[in-house]
Amino acid sequence: MTHQHIERCATCGAEWAGYRETWQSLGDLPEVEVPAALKARFLASVGELDAPVVQFKRPAESRPHTRWLAQAAAAVIIAGGSYWIGHRAIPIQIAPSPATVNAPYSIAESRVLTASAISPDIEGRPDIQNVSFLDSNANNDDVGLSFDITSHVTVHGRATDKSMVRLMRYVLENEAHTPGRSRAIDWVKTTYSRPGNGNLEIADALATVLRNDSHEGVRIKAVETLNRMPGSVSSDTREALIQALKSDPNPAVRIKAVEALANLARSGATFDSATVDTLRQKAVQGDENVYVRVKAAEALSSIHP
Amino acid sequence: MKHLSDQELMRIVQAGDFSPASEIYDRYSSRIYNFAYRFLKNSEAAEDATQEVFVKMLKHANQFHGDAKLSTWLFSITANWCRDYLRKSDNKAKEAEDVLVTLPAPAEYSPERTLEQRENAKRIQKALTALTPEQREAILLSRYQGLSYAEIAQISGCSEGAVKTRVFRAMETLKKALTGKERGGDRCLTAM
């Protein structure tokens, strides 16, 4: 309507033409060249900066000095593997440096590795700290894992890259602190429950957490995540769910475990007789949580329609 | 790192790894520098602005939210820096003293065309100087950076309506300065 009016009205048409002419003439202001030295000046200042506070940073804790000495003496190696173009194994060593607990790391101590370029075999039990997770987005399937060993390392690649899976498994099984394990599981849930990202090794690591973790919140998250990746549950993982249903002291864990088993049954998984027996017992166990009993019965009905 | 998106690069920075700094600088330094230069009309200040914007980007990386556009965030930092610069009375005197150092004209341009372009550039820069800082900020972000009114509102800390008003007022002033045409005395009273 506005355009129709401008076409008909001489006054407004002239006004409009003036604005258009002005807008176009502003394009005659050329781009100014950025002085080349400015980049060098900026990059030089980067080395002097402290890194920002890392997301999910674990609170610093005092550690025995001897442990650091031992660690410094040990070569922390993510070994083996080779670069794409190499034909012989070149170990990717993350060499020890005389780091101290509170020493800020600089850009010189940071390295970025591509998951497909490093070996999936993790040698020894490196003590990793300050683990953070970099999510993928809609445009790119790459994910990343950042952590401190003796330098700050970021590994990025597809979630299904074997090295990425092994690193994630390592974090799940070795993260010493409850909040860290909890965040790791949250990230796994988001990343590995996506279609095509389900992974048996990750599921097995979650099963290990379910079996061994002393914190019920972490165990609940582990089962919830397993429930989101039914296609990746091995017999060993299923056994961990059965054990949780049978004997986990926390009813919320047992509820989540029986839900996961019911979900597996619905998805057509075949259960052995011992599993069926456990579900049957749970369905009729008088002192069990009512919801657990109902879900156990539901799982049984899915097995025997 | 060229294949990584802005958000991916920033996530690496947020994890404490500054290795994407160079790539991010390459992507945005020209836009940031040109915005600051046109805003302040001072190449030395534009250099300082560019340097500080990228340093702040690294130092305060965790303030960047992944759902925002990196360009919008960087322009917010730049605009703040420029406003602070202009607030300092000492710096006002330095305005408009700078000499335009522009990219060389394309080889196919005749000397007359090149000269004409330079004259035009001077006229435009002078016209931009006549705007209030708020109007200049709005028109620079809109005309030269192609940002939406919503993005400019976010950067300038005002409403979209205020941005539209600033751009309109700026265009009125620029029209007068660049085309010699003032708003017509005979106002059209037709409801559109």
Side-chain angles (χ1 to χ4, degrees), chain A residues 5 11 15 18-19 21-23 25-28 30 32 39 41-42 45 52-53 112 134-135 140 152, chain B residues 8 11 15 17-19 22 26 34 38 48 51 54 62 101 124 143-144 172 175 181 183-184 186 192:
Chain A
H5 174 80
T11 309
E15 196 80 17
Y19 284 120
E21 188 188 337
T22 305
W23 188 259
S25 69
L26 287 172
D28 286 343
V32 183
K39 185 174 181 181
R41 179 179 152 197
F42 164 62
S45 68
V53 177
V112 178
L134 313 170
D135 293 329
N140 191 321
H152 186 71
Chain B
E8 287 165 331
R11 280 198 288 269
D17 181 347
F18 291 158
S19 53
S22 177
D26 288 344
N34 270 277
R38 286 163 177 165
D48 290 345
Q51 160 86 4
F54 285 101
N62 287 331
V101 182
I124 295 165
R143 176 64 180 85
Y144 297 103
E172 277 190 321
K175 181 157 78 86
K181 293 173 189 166
R183 194 184 171 93
D186 298 328
M192 283 190 276

Side-chain angles (χ1 to χ4, degrees), chain A residues 125 132 135 189 209 241 243 249 294:
Chain A
R125 287 196 58 189
S132 62
D135 293 329
K189 190 174 171 180
V209 172
L241 289 171
Q243 282 307 317
V294 169

Side-chain angles (χ1 to χ4, degrees), chain A:
Chain A
M1 189 170 172
T2 307
H3 279 282
Q4 284 171 355
H5 174 80
I6 287 171
E7 282 168 15
R8 286 200 307 268
C9 174
T11 309
C12 291
E15 196 80 17
W16 173 248
Y19 284 120
R20 200 173 49 197
E21 188 188 337
T22 305
W23 188 259
Q24 281 169 354
S25 69
L26 287 172
D28 286 343
L29 189 63
E31 285 280 299
V32 183
E33 197 169 8
V34 186
L38 190 53
K39 185 174 181 181
R41 179 179 152 197
F42 164 62
L43 292 179
S45 68
V46 172
E48 295 163 11
L49 293 175
D50 286 337
V53 177
V54 178
Q55 265 181 317
F56 310 135
K57 191 168 185 175
R58 213 161 63 191
E61 57 176 342
S62 61
R63 307 176 66 204
H65 189 58
T66 49
R67 192 171 168 192
W68 275 101
L69 284 174
Q71 193 175 0
V76 177
I77 301 169
I78 295 177
S82 59
Y83 292 104
W84 294 307
I85 54 169
H87 296 294
R88 62 193 174 86
I90 304 168
I92 312 296
Q93 294 198 1
I94 299 171
S97 68
T100 57
V101 176
N102 297 316
Y105 44 83
S106 74
I107 191 166
E109 294 169 300
S110 298
R111 55 188 71 185
V112 178
L113 303 171
T114 308
S116 56
I118 62 171
S119 165
D121 300 321
I122 299 174
E123 210 169 81
R125 287 196 58 189
D127 184 15
I128 58 175
Q129 301 265 340
N130 293 328
V131 179
S132 62
F133 309 99
L134 313 170
D135 293 329
S136 62
N137 64 31
N139 303 321
N140 191 321
D141 286 339
D142 270 17
V143 292
L145 196 58
S146 249
F147 51 89
D148 296 343
I149 304 187
T150 48
S151 62
H152 186 71
V153 178
T154 301
V155 178
H156 64 89
R158 292 177 59 82
T160 48
D161 280 345
K162 198 154 190 173
S163 295
M164 191 61 79
V165 168
R166 287 281 164 85
L167 271 172
M168 201 55 235
R169 179 178 191 157
Y170 186 82
V171 170
L172 284 171
E173 293 179 346
N174 292 281
E175 168 64 59
H177 294 257
T178 304
R181 290 196 305 278
S182 185
R183 281 190 292 266
I185 295 173
D186 284 341
W187 189 76
V188 161
K189 190 174 171 180
T190 308
T191 306
Y192 288 95
S193 61
R194 287 180 195 146
N197 278 5
N199 187 281
L200 282 171
E201 277 200 51
I202 294 292
D204 284 350
L206 289 167
T208 304
V209 172
L210 176 60
R211 282 195 193 96
N212 303 328
D213 208 290
S214 60
H215 195 283
E216 59 269 18
V218 173
R219 296 200 304 277
I220 289 168
K221 280 190 174 187
V223 190
E224 280 175 346
T225 307
L226 283 170
N227 198 14
R228 298 273 292 269
M229 12 188 332
S232 308
V233 173
S234 66
S235 57
D236 193 40
T237 305
R238 196 184 308 161
E239 184 54 33
L241 289 171
I242 294 288
Q243 282 307 317
L245 173 61
K246 268 185 182 171
S247 55
D248 197 288
N250 188 292
V253 178
R254 296 200 301 277
I255 287 171
K256 294 291 177 187
V258 76
E259 278 178 350
L261 287 164
N263 196 22
L264 279 174
R266 274 196 300 275
S267 67
T270 51
F271 287 176
D272 58 22
S273 57
T275 304
V276 174
D277 284 346
T278 302
L279 289 170
R280 214 171 263 151
Q281 284 165 19
K282 280 291 166 185
V284 296
Q285 188 179 324
D287 60 349
E288 181 53 282
N289 178 289
V290 176
Y291 189 78
V292 172
R293 293 172 59 187
V294 169
K295 279 288 170 186
E298 194 180 306
L300 283 168
S301 68
S302 298
I303 298 167
H304 302 292

Side-chain angles (χ1 to χ4, degrees), chain B:
Chain B
M1 295 207 166
K2 290 194 184 304
H3 65 289
L4 296 178
S5 68
D6 288 350
Q7 274 70 19
E8 287 165 331
L9 292 175
M10 283 306 292
R11 280 198 288 269
I12 294 173
V13 173
Q14 285 169 336
D17 181 347
F18 291 158
S19 53
S22 177
E23 174 62 25
I24 298 173
Y25 179 92
D26 288 344
R27 289 185 192 183
Y28 288 104
S29 60
S30 180
R31 291 179 71 186
I32 296 297
Y33 181 79
N34 270 277
F35 171 76
Y37 180 80
R38 286 163 177 165
F39 199 162
L40 304 173
K41 300 168 295 300
N42 183 315
S43 59
E44 198 181 319
E47 281 185 37
D48 290 345
T50 309
Q51 160 86 4
E52 295 225 6
V53 165
F54 285 101
V55 167
K56 276 190 181 176
M57 173 199 74
L58 297 177
K59 282 170 87 172
H60 304 289
N62 287 331
Q63 291 173 14
F64 173 71
H65 302 294
D67 52 349
K69 279 170 78 175
L70 180 58
S71 57
T72 309
W73 190 54
L74 290 176
F75 280 120
S76 292
I77 302 172
T78 315
N80 270 331
W81 194 97
C82 292
R83 281 181 229 124
D84 283 348
Y85 178 89
L86 290 181
R87 265 195 287 273
K88 293 172 190 165
S89 57
D90 287 354
N91 293 326
K92 284 182 180 163
K94 289 184 192 170
E95 284 185 56
E97 287 175 0
D98 222 35
V99 179
L100 274 176
V101 182
T102 59
L103 291 170
E108 67 269 21
Y109 279 19
S110 66
E112 293 79 18
R113 173 80 192 276
T114 306
L115 188 66
E116 186 191 333
Q117 265 228 323
R118 282 198 181 155
E119 288 304 314
N120 276 346
K122 276 185 190 171
R123 271 189 330 123
I124 295 165
Q125 190 68 283
K126 194 177 168 190
L128 288 171
T129 310
L131 303 177
T132 65
E134 290 80 15
Q135 291 171 357
R136 193 156 63 235
E137 183 177 317
I139 202 81
L140 289 176
L141 291 171
S142 172
R143 176 64 180 85
Y144 297 103
Q145 303 302 332
L147 301 190
S148 67
Y149 289 152
E151 286 171 315
I152 298 170
Q154 203 182 328
I155 290 166
S156 305
C158 62
S159 67
E160 272 187 64
V163 173
K164 286 178 189 171
T165 304
R166 287 174 189 181
V167 170
F168 178 70
R169 298 277 179 236
M171 284 299 291
E172 277 190 321
T173 307
L174 292 168
K175 181 157 78 86
K176 185 181 168 189
L178 297 175
T179 68
K181 293 173 189 166
E182 287 201 59
R183 194 184 171 93
D186 298 328
R187 303 288 291 272
C188 173
L189 299 175
T190 310
M192 283 190 276

